[in-house]
Amino acid sequence: MRPGGTLPALILLFALMLVAGSASAATEILFWHSMTGTLREQVERLAERFNEIQRAGKAADSRSMPATGNSRVYWSASDYKVIPVYEGNYDETMAALMAAAKKGTTPHIVQIFDIGTADMMAASDDSGRAPIVKPIHEVMAIGGQRINPETYLPAISSYYTDAGGRLLSLPFNSSTPALYINKDAFRGAGLDPDRPPRTWHEMAIAAAKLKAAGSACVYTTGWQSWIHVENAGALHNQPFASHDNGFGGPGAKLLIDAPFYVRHISMLADWNQKGWFTYAGRKNEAEPRFYKGECAMLTSSSAAYGDIARNARFDFAISPLPYHADVKGAPQNTLIGGASLWVTAGKSLDEYKGAARFLNFLSQREIQAEWHQQTGYLPISQAAYDLSRKQGYYDRNAGIDAPLRAMTAKPQTASSKGIRLRNLVRIRSIIDEELEAVWSQGRSPRQALEDAVKRGNPLLRQ
């Protein structure tokens, strides 16, 4: 064959290679998250299941394509591939996002903890004019996906909606405070292991008996600010801050130096002196102390259930956060914790369509029920809760839905809907510092809370 005669064939072959190459590249959706250990495995499994669905869909489509003699399935620009990336803990992920926004290198989807909600709503790019996030309801509309806030339990979705009830971010991993007891330790102290304390008065009775029975660590807590200030306030319908805890707009001031908060922290200070309360750390450091059998009672996140069930070598029970029975209207409801998924601004229409498709996948009843059962996080929709019940999950794990029922038992009030304040991450750190001075230095609870207000209010005005 003449050399010149091969040129058209080579050009055609080269063109076909270019088409095949471009067709094989899926639109990548970068997903930053903060899950570690088994939770990270679950996130990666969800992403891979979504990617498999994309591949399976195109495999079916490819059967109508002309035979090429190659078994490879070619992707098109309408296919999407989610790439989950662990970006650090919640604080680190949020800091990384803000830094990426200045460089224009944000991921498509990012997991942000609940207390970062107000900061995400207000965050803008380096120019200070353009927001760095795109509301979920807009993203889903672009992608032709329908998402209804009413799909989610109101106690969860209301935290992540705007004034018009439209979702700003997608509820993902949600939790609420819970009480865990070592039933074996209760039996040893002559306490009824099937009747966890419902009130703080009952907690005191149990603590005295456990201490007398030889417990070195009677009661400990994780997330002290979240549980003993933020949630203690909500559970007793006490405002954490003015302006409806920040939901009413800017200008809010902290109110945690009120008599109720002073009383509650004073109780814990007294328990600390009696050896009934042991401080273990600001985050979840208390949880291993419980599941290793060192501490008889623990308050922490309901999401700790999975780790406790895997590691505890004793019989335990989970129940709602205790309350003060003499406070009128108590118990009201606890708050959600955990995180939601935000979509960042400045992406292409095709990327938004991919993000919408993935978020729609995560919203499916079966996926939500599976995530709930595999991780210990709360079911975020009534449909997922009902499916889990039908599947016998609550029969196999007695009491695990008690914290959820405590969170949803009553309609929310202005003081129990949640807390939406700028710089809440830094304010929580201030509260932690002041409480630590109470436990370790014998500082007055009143003085500690007053100083927390004085230090925290300027952050609200920034």
Side-chain angles (χ1 to χ4, degrees), residues 37 92 127 134 137 156-158 266 390 401:
E92 293 166 342
S127 69
K134 195 169 189 67
H137 64 87
I156 294 175
S157 64
S158 62
S266 294
K390 183 179 180 181
D401 60 337

Side-chain angles (χ1 to χ4, degrees), residues 191-348:
L191 294 163
D192 186 349
D194 296 319
R195 193 175 184 278
R198 297 175 299 108
T199 67
W200 287 109
H201 177 68
E202 292 178 0
M203 283 281 287
I205 294 173
K209 291 186 176 182
L210 287 163
K211 184 68 175 178
S215 289
C217 174
V218 174
Y219 163 65
T220 189
T221 190
W223 313 101
Q224 60 174 357
S225 176
W226 181 55
I227 289 177
H228 290 291
V229 181
E230 298 166 39
N231 271 281
L235 191 58
H236 298 85
N237 203 24
Q238 303 293 313
F240 179 91
S242 62
H243 291 58
D244 296 343
N245 283 351
F247 276 85
K253 295 181 180 179
L254 297 177
L255 300 175
I256 58 173
D257 55 350
F260 166 79
Y261 293 101
V262 174
R263 168 203 174 172
H264 184 73
I265 300 303
S266 294
M267 177 196 74
L268 293 176
D270 178 60
W271 290 13
N272 185 47
Q273 292 294 318
K274 292 177 178 177
W276 296 356
F277 169 58
T278 301
Y279 177 63
R282 296 183 181 184
K283 298 184 183 294
N284 63 346
E285 297 90 342
E287 294 168 11
R289 297 203 61 180
F290 176 76
Y291 64 62
K292 289 178 181 178
E294 297 173 13
C295 302
M297 297 187 291
L298 163 76
T299 49
S300 196
S301 168
S302 59
Y305 184 92
D307 276 343
I308 292 172
R310 280 188 292 271
N311 292 287
R313 297 295 178 263
F314 53 82
D315 198 10
F316 74 93
I318 180 174
S319 62
L321 186 69
Y323 62 96
H324 296 284
D326 59 346
V327 175
K328 184 178 180 180
Q332 172 57 42
N333 65 271
T334 51
L335 305 174
I336 66 164
S340 64
L341 303 183
W342 294 79
V343 176
T344 59
K347 306 304 180 185
S348 69

Side-chain angles (χ1 to χ4, degrees), residues 391-407:
Q391 293 171 338
Y393 178 67
Y394 304 120
D395 295 331
R396 298 190 300 272
N397 299 275
I400 193 172
D401 60 337
L404 175 66
R405 287 187 276 110
M407 188 181 73

